[in-house]
Amino acid sequence: MSRLDEVRAAFAAQGFMRNLGGELAALEPGRCEIACRFREDLTQHHGLFHAGVLTTLADNACGFAAMSLLPEGAEVLSVEFKMSFLRPGAGVAAIARGEVIKPGRTLSFCRAEVFMRDTAGAETLAAAMTATMMAAAPERR
Amino acid sequence: MSRLDEVRAAFAAQGFMRNLGGELAALEPGRCEIACRFREDLTQHHGLFHAGVLTTLADNACGFAAMSLLPEGAEVLSVEFKMSFLRPGAGVAAIARGEVIKPGRTLSFCRAEVFMRDTAGAETLAAAMTATMMAAAPERR
Amino acid sequence: MSRLDEVRAAFAAQGFMRNLGGELAALEPGRCEIACRFREDLTQHHGLFHAGVLTTLADNACGFAAMSLLPEGAEVLSVEFKMSFLRPGAGVAAIARGEVIKPGRTLSFCRAEVFMRDTAGAETLAAAMTATMMAAAPERR
Amino acid sequence: MSRLDEVRAAFAAQGFMRNLGGELAALEPGRCEIACRFREDLTQHHGLFHAGVLTTLADNACGFAAMSLLPEGAEVLSVEFKMSFLRPGAGVAAIARGEVIKPGRTLSFCRAEVFMRDTAGAETLAAAMTATMMAAAPERR
């Protein structure tokens, strides 16, 4: 299995991604894009995307971008991330685009932007993440 | 409706909280606790709680702690948060405890800790958040 | 006094900037660049730039970028920032470039990158900040 | 040289700490306190402590708290930190108290609080940091 296929398999194995309806929209070494359609069960109390949904997408976009650059078999863990909410999460879909800005053997520094897509397909930046990801030896389960 | 009842109503109105099965375990002025049982559809690819679930609980615990101290009718928005992942999200339930460390008319500084509960009821600290919340005039929907 | 002149005056009034030898290398609406030459009294214990120096430059680059977009007379306060250290602070000078990524009447979301300049003038990204800045009514001193 | 003496030696070797007049007020395994008197050359443009000074003290308090728990000879690097500014930096001295909340072989999660001391000796919380520190093999200089 190639490294990108390992990433795709990890994505497919996440119960929470299936719950959210997240789709792996693009994947290349050091970059990952994840899309998620709006649904009523993904909302905060004003009927917009919940901050936690946008954060989940951004965390995964960063984590899988980092994982794509690690050696085959290596896992990746979220050490920490910060998420800033620039505009309300109003749209028919959310798209998170993550990239590695400084890869490393142990730590990878990543960032992601989350866009709201409207019915015309136009995108607006809604949130931005910076994240530290850590490589870990493969876990046996 | 009292202020704490307004918070409870906002909690109940979140489609995403119902999705996760989050329960408002405790609420008092400046403090909020939210619990969530483990389920397969809340997992990352190793079968543990997804970081995004723990972050959602912590964000809400901070946000509702902040909302509880604001005047009646006032809404609260997440400006930004940082989440650090200290230990794996392995447990039968996750409990987020949020508190306001510096209330303000416009900005409230909050923090939350997320614990993993095991089958014996013992708790282990798994993640920690600091968050900035902003008061907003009530939205008409 | 024009708004950019107000920013220049605020920069010049910082005792700590004079201490560090910081220079306002560039300023335009929404962007600010600050440079600082290496000195022995700016070091951590391995003789490199101290993280606190790089953070001070980045904080100012973000704050003055935000201040440049606010109405005349308005002040700016740092609400919070996160700084990630990608590479060692080794160079003959540090250059912080800050920009506003989402201006607002109350809050401005900013980011800055800090580069190390070597003796040949080449630059390497050493650190990255995201910051939330808040507008405040002018203070009387 | 004991581990705590190694920390004291690292503190003493920081040119920037001498510049600021920082004093190692307390040190024990996993905890570190640093104090710094107010001076005009440590100010922002309203004559208060510059955010960068408070951040430098908090970064060091976290870093040396982490270093104190690592094996002899091991160095510590700041991976990232987030600093929130709760109240203005107005006081005759600043005191940063750092602690390790989750030690680790590679990464240590830390937090620090920075207090303002007034002329009567009373303390007010002004800022709070969370930080990730990384252990590194000793560097030869």
Side-chain angles (χ1 to χ4, degrees):
Chain A
M1 188 153 61
S2 80
R3 186 57 179 162
L4 293 186
D5 282 344
E6 286 186 345
V7 174
R8 288 183 196 104
F11 184 92
Q14 290 201 342
F16 196 45
M17 267 298 101
R18 286 193 299 276
N19 176 330
L20 301 188
E23 295 168 46
L24 190 56
L27 179 68
E28 57 183 285
R31 290 180 181 270
C32 177
E33 178 178 324
I34 301 174
C36 177
R37 287 166 194 276
F38 179 81
R39 290 188 337 227
E40 289 291 336
D41 66 342
L42 303 180
T43 57
Q44 34 84 298
H45 50 291
H46 298 121
L48 307 179
F49 270 110
H50 196 290
V53 174
L54 306 188
T55 303
T56 301
L57 300 176
D59 172 43
N60 266 359
C62 287
F64 290 128
M67 189 180 166
S68 73
L69 296 181
L70 294 175
E72 291 195 16
E75 299 290 347
V76 69
L77 302 170
S78 298
V79 173
E80 60 76 33
F81 50 64
K82 177 190 164 188
M83 186 82 162
S84 297
F85 298 93
L86 314 179
R87 293 183 185 87
V92 298
I95 299 94
R97 296 193 176 95
E99 63 178 327
V100 180
I101 58 173
K102 168 65 174 63
R105 202 162 44 90
T106 304
L107 297 182
S108 300
F109 293 91
C110 305
R111 87 179 142 208
E113 294 184 315
V114 184
F115 298 86
M116 288 293 118
R117 190 171 285 164
D118 67 18
T119 50
E123 294 185 0
T124 307
L125 180 63
M129 173 181 279
T130 64
T132 310
M133 297 286 165
M134 188 180 192
E139 285 189 47
R140 301 279 162 256
R141 297 192 58 225
Chain B
M1 188 153 63
S2 78
R3 186 58 179 162
L4 293 186
D5 282 344
E6 286 186 344
V7 174
R8 286 183 195 102
F11 185 91
Q14 290 201 341
F16 197 43
M17 267 299 99
R18 286 193 299 275
N19 176 331
L20 301 189
E23 296 167 45
L24 190 56
L27 179 68
E28 58 182 285
R31 289 179 180 273
C32 177
E33 179 178 323
I34 301 174
C36 177
R37 287 166 194 277
F38 179 82
R39 291 188 336 227
E40 289 291 334
D41 68 341
L42 302 180
T43 57
Q44 33 85 296
H45 50 291
H46 299 122
L48 308 180
F49 270 110
H50 197 289
V53 175
L54 306 188
T55 303
T56 301
L57 300 176
D59 173 42
N60 266 358
C62 286
F64 290 128
M67 188 180 167
S68 73
L69 296 180
L70 294 175
E72 290 194 18
E75 298 290 347
V76 70
L77 301 170
S78 298
V79 173
E80 61 75 33
F81 51 65
K82 177 190 164 187
M83 186 82 162
S84 298
F85 298 93
L86 314 180
R87 293 183 185 86
V92 297
I95 299 94
R97 296 192 177 95
E99 63 177 328
V100 180
I101 58 173
K102 168 66 174 63
R105 203 163 43 92
T106 305
L107 296 182
S108 301
F109 292 92
C110 306
R111 88 181 141 207
E113 294 184 316
V114 183
F115 298 86
M116 289 293 119
R117 190 171 285 164
D118 67 18
T119 50
E123 294 185 359
T124 307
L125 180 63
M129 173 181 279
T130 64
T132 310
M133 296 287 164
M134 187 179 193
E139 285 190 46
R140 300 282 163 253
R141 297 191 56 224
Chain C
M1 186 152 62
S2 79
R3 186 58 179 162
L4 293 185
D5 282 343
E6 286 186 345
V7 173
R8 286 183 196 103
F11 184 92
Q14 290 202 342
F16 196 43
M17 267 300 99
R18 287 194 299 275
N19 176 331
L20 301 188
E23 296 167 44
L24 190 56
L27 179 69
E28 58 183 284
R31 290 180 180 272
C32 178
E33 179 178 323
I34 301 174
C36 177
R37 287 167 194 276
F38 179 82
R39 291 188 336 228
E40 289 292 334
D41 67 342
L42 303 180
T43 57
Q44 33 86 296
H45 50 291
H46 298 123
L48 308 179
F49 271 109
H50 197 290
V53 175
L54 306 188
T55 303
T56 301
L57 300 175
D59 173 42
N60 267 357
C62 286
F64 290 127
M67 188 180 168
S68 73
L69 296 180
L70 294 174
E72 291 194 17
E75 300 289 345
V76 69
L77 301 170
S78 298
V79 173
E80 62 76 34
F81 50 66
K82 178 191 164 186
M83 185 83 162
S84 297
F85 298 93
L86 313 179
R87 294 184 185 84
V92 297
I95 299 93
R97 296 192 178 96
E99 63 179 326
V100 180
I101 58 173
K102 168 65 174 62
R105 202 164 44 92
T106 305
L107 296 182
S108 300
F109 293 92
C110 306
R111 88 179 141 210
E113 294 184 316
V114 184
F115 297 86
M116 288 293 119
R117 190 171 285 163
D118 67 17
T119 49
E123 293 185 1
T124 307
L125 181 63
M129 173 181 279
T130 65
T132 310
M133 296 288 163
M134 187 178 193
E139 284 189 48
R140 301 280 164 256
R141 300 192 54 226
Chain D
M1 186 153 60
S2 80
R3 186 58 179 163
L4 293 185
D5 282 342
E6 287 186 343
V7 174
R8 287 183 196 104
F11 184 92
Q14 289 201 341
F16 197 44
M17 267 299 99
R18 286 193 299 274
N19 176 330
L20 301 189
E23 295 167 46
L24 189 56
L27 179 68
E28 57 183 283
R31 290 179 180 272
C32 177
E33 179 179 322
I34 300 174
C36 177
R37 287 166 193 276
F38 179 82
R39 289 189 337 227
E40 290 291 334
D41 68 341
L42 303 180
T43 57
Q44 34 85 297
H45 49 293
H46 299 121
L48 308 179
F49 271 110
H50 197 290
V53 175
L54 306 188
T55 303
T56 301
L57 300 176
D59 172 42
N60 267 358
C62 286
F64 290 128
M67 188 180 167
S68 73
L69 296 181
L70 294 175
E72 291 195 16
E75 299 290 346
V76 70
L77 301 171
S78 298
V79 173
E80 61 77 34
F81 50 66
K82 178 190 165 189
M83 185 82 162
S84 298
F85 298 93
L86 313 179
R87 294 183 185 85
V92 297
I95 299 93
R97 297 192 176 96
E99 63 179 327
V100 180
I101 59 173
K102 168 65 173 64
R105 202 162 44 91
T106 305
L107 297 182
S108 300
F109 293 92
C110 306
R111 88 179 141 209
E113 294 184 315
V114 184
F115 297 86
M116 288 293 118
R117 189 171 286 165
D118 67 18
T119 50
E123 294 185 1
T124 307
L125 181 64
M129 172 180 280
T130 65
T132 310
M133 297 287 164
M134 188 179 193
E139 285 190 48
R140 300 282 163 254
R141 299 190 55 224

